[in-house]
Amino acid sequence: MKLAIEKLKETILKSENILVVGHENPDGDTVGSVLGFSLLLKKMKKNCLVTFPNDVPEFLKWLPSYNESVIASDRQDKLLTLIPNYELIIGLDFNEKSRAKNVFKLVENSKAIKVIIDHHPYPEPYFDIIISEQEVSSTAELLYHFIESCNWTNLIDYNIATCIFTGILTDTLSFNVNAFRPRTFETAAKLLSYGINKDQIQQNVFESFTEKRLQFLGYALYKKMKILREWSAGYIYLSKEELKEFCFQKGDSEGLVNYPLSIKGIRVAALFLERENYIKISIRSKGNIPANEIMMKHFHGGGHLNAAGGEEYNLSLEETIEKFEKILPSYKSYLQQQ
């Protein structure tokens, strides 16, 4: 990866116009990474534009410079006009161009150098430069390491540190998930040294929900959670009618999939959300239970060992759940470990 870092550093220094891209349905890691990196590039006097395929959740819109982003689903015409001007396109927090949906459809014919910085496995060889490390807690942490390797930490300020720290905080669920390496905490400590307000960030991200969202959470846990003790598994499932009833918004399901894992003895948890034309699936696991393998093999998805996601386009909500339950016995050796 050292060669890739050097190549990207050199490419950034030579480039004047840089497009920074997040993935579809952006989460805290991609939003924090994209905004933080763009602010740093602007301090380097680069002409930098940020774009997301669709809008970010409300609880992330407070992040510095979010209001300068171009949302591709709303402004494809503007992006189509601007894209030929960019000689470098950097994607953050996704491992294949399809995760950026409409944005990468617009840039497919661009002659720009295309880059990804990401912590998901199996990066697509489509990209010219790939900086990928699965062991890090988040793309935001990996981004900090890249900045450090380039000796650019002197450019980090309060706003940049706030964005990068938010990316780490959200992807680790406040350092409770995928935060087992000392270096993750060392990185967080370095970011705190810029005077950022950790408590305010925590409040903005995890304590700014609506009353309707809490009602939604209570309903999901009381009425729509099923525990399969035989397989040490649990899942939550919600129909599109139920989502509509609770005025479901992007971000309302954040962290919901983790609740079954808090039950003693449960080692794998899933969340099924019925959308308009497909079923969105999230899965979390403990130990060596391969959440990413389950998603890759059965639900057109992927991710990390203990956190993955996917979609089902051909089955109903009920049929998708039935499929999931039938899959569990094939992972018996993992699920029944103590």
Side-chain angles (χ1 to χ4, degrees):
M1 194 170 68
K2 188 176 180 180
L3 288 176
I5 290 172
E6 287 298 323
K7 187 176 181 181
L8 180 54
K9 178 182 179 180
E10 181 182 336
T11 304
I12 288 172
L13 291 173
K14 289 180 178 178
S15 301
E16 292 301 322
N17 303 297
I18 303 173
L19 181 67
V20 186
V21 183
H23 61 67
E24 186 183 41
N25 299 324
D27 59 5
D29 192 16
T30 196
V31 177
S33 299
V34 165
L35 296 180
F37 201 18
S38 69
L39 287 169
L40 184 133
L41 293 171
K42 287 174 182 175
K43 289 190 75 172
M44 298 173 70
K45 307 302 182 185
K46 306 297 180 181
N47 174 31
C48 183
L49 179 70
V50 162
T51 184
F52 298 100
N54 56 349
D55 207 358
V56 312
E58 287 294 325
F59 67 88
L60 293 170
K61 290 185 177 181
W62 60 272
L63 280 165
S65 79
Y66 157 74
N67 57 356
E68 298 173 15
S69 306
V70 173
I71 306 304
S73 57
D74 299 332
R75 300 298 305 277
Q76 287 206 38
D77 53 341
K78 179 177 181 178
L79 271 180
L80 198 57
T81 303
L82 292 174
I83 279 171
N85 300 324
Y86 294 95
E87 66 258 40
L88 177 59
I89 299 170
I90 303 175
L92 289 152
D93 198 39
F94 57 93
N95 58 357
E96 53 186 43
K97 62 181 185 293
S98 63
R99 290 284 285 119
K101 298 287 182 178
N102 47 8
V103 175
F104 265 82
K105 285 182 181 178
L106 295 175
V107 305
E108 277 182 335
N109 297 321
S110 168
K111 294 180 180 179
I113 295 172
K114 301 176 182 71
V115 177
I116 52 164
I117 300 175
D118 181 52
H119 71 139
H120 297 91
Y122 314 119
E124 187 175 13
Y126 164 85
F127 299 93
D128 300 301
I129 302 174
I130 297 172
I131 295 178
S132 175
E133 187 179 343
Q134 297 174 41
E135 290 75 19
V136 297
S137 68
S138 55
T139 294
E141 182 186 346
L142 181 57
L143 174 63
Y144 181 86
H145 299 333
F146 169 74
I147 294 169
E148 198 172 43
S149 297
C150 294
N151 295 315
W152 292 343
T153 52
N154 61 303
L155 296 172
I156 296 177
D157 57 21
Y158 179 93
N159 285 340
I160 295 170
T162 293
C163 289
I164 297 175
F165 185 87
T166 300
I168 298 173
L169 187 74
T170 54
D171 233 35
T172 61
L173 294 178
S174 298
F175 302 97
N176 287 310
V177 176
N178 199 27
F180 53 87
R181 302 190 326 158
R183 195 175 183 188
T184 299
F185 294 91
E186 291 165 3
T187 301
K190 290 175 182 177
L191 291 166
L192 287 170
S193 72
Y194 292 92
I196 63 175
N197 191 333
K198 177 189 73 68
D199 293 338
Q200 188 63 55
I201 295 171
Q202 176 81 19
Q203 183 177 324
N204 288 346
V205 172
F206 295 111
E207 300 170 18
S208 61
F209 296 113
T210 63
E211 180 181 351
K212 206 72 176 174
R213 197 269 179 179
L214 290 182
Q215 292 171 344
F216 166 73
L217 174 61
Y219 174 80
L221 295 176
Y222 183 55
K223 294 286 188 179
K224 306 300 307 240
M225 182 172 67
K226 183 174 180 180
I227 301 301
L228 305 172
R229 288 286 180 187
E230 180 183 3
W231 303 113
S232 304
Y235 61 81
I236 295 170
Y237 60 103
L238 292 142
S239 69
K240 57 186 177 183
E241 289 79 15
E242 290 167 322
L243 297 179
K244 184 177 180 181
E245 178 184 350
F246 288 95
C247 305
F248 182 81
Q249 298 179 20
K250 191 183 304 174
D252 281 354
S253 61
E254 190 78 18
L256 184 57
V257 65
N258 295 289
Y259 278 93
L261 285 181
S262 66
I263 298 172
K264 186 176 181 179
I266 301 305
R267 305 190 70 237
V268 64
L271 173 65
F272 302 91
L273 300 179
E274 184 183 27
R275 310 304 295 184
E276 197 57 43
N277 299 308
Y278 67 100
I279 311 301
K280 179 173 174 55
I281 307 157
S282 300
I283 186 168
R284 301 291 184 268
S285 66
K286 294 180 178 179
N288 61 350
I289 300 171
N292 51 0
E293 179 185 311
I294 295 171
M295 289 294 102
M296 284 169 52
K297 281 189 175 182
H298 305 285
F299 294 108
H300 315 286
H304 303 286
L305 177 68
N306 298 126
E311 294 89 25
E312 176 56 65
Y313 292 90
N314 301 315
L315 301 176
S316 67
L317 178 61
E318 293 75 17
E319 290 168 335
T320 302
I321 292 169
E322 183 180 355
K323 178 180 175 180
F324 174 74
E325 289 191 4
K326 287 181 177 178
I327 288 166
L328 293 175
S330 62
Y331 292 90
K332 179 179 180 179
S333 61
Y334 293 103
L335 294 168
Q336 295 185 342
Q337 289 178 8
Q338 296 300 320

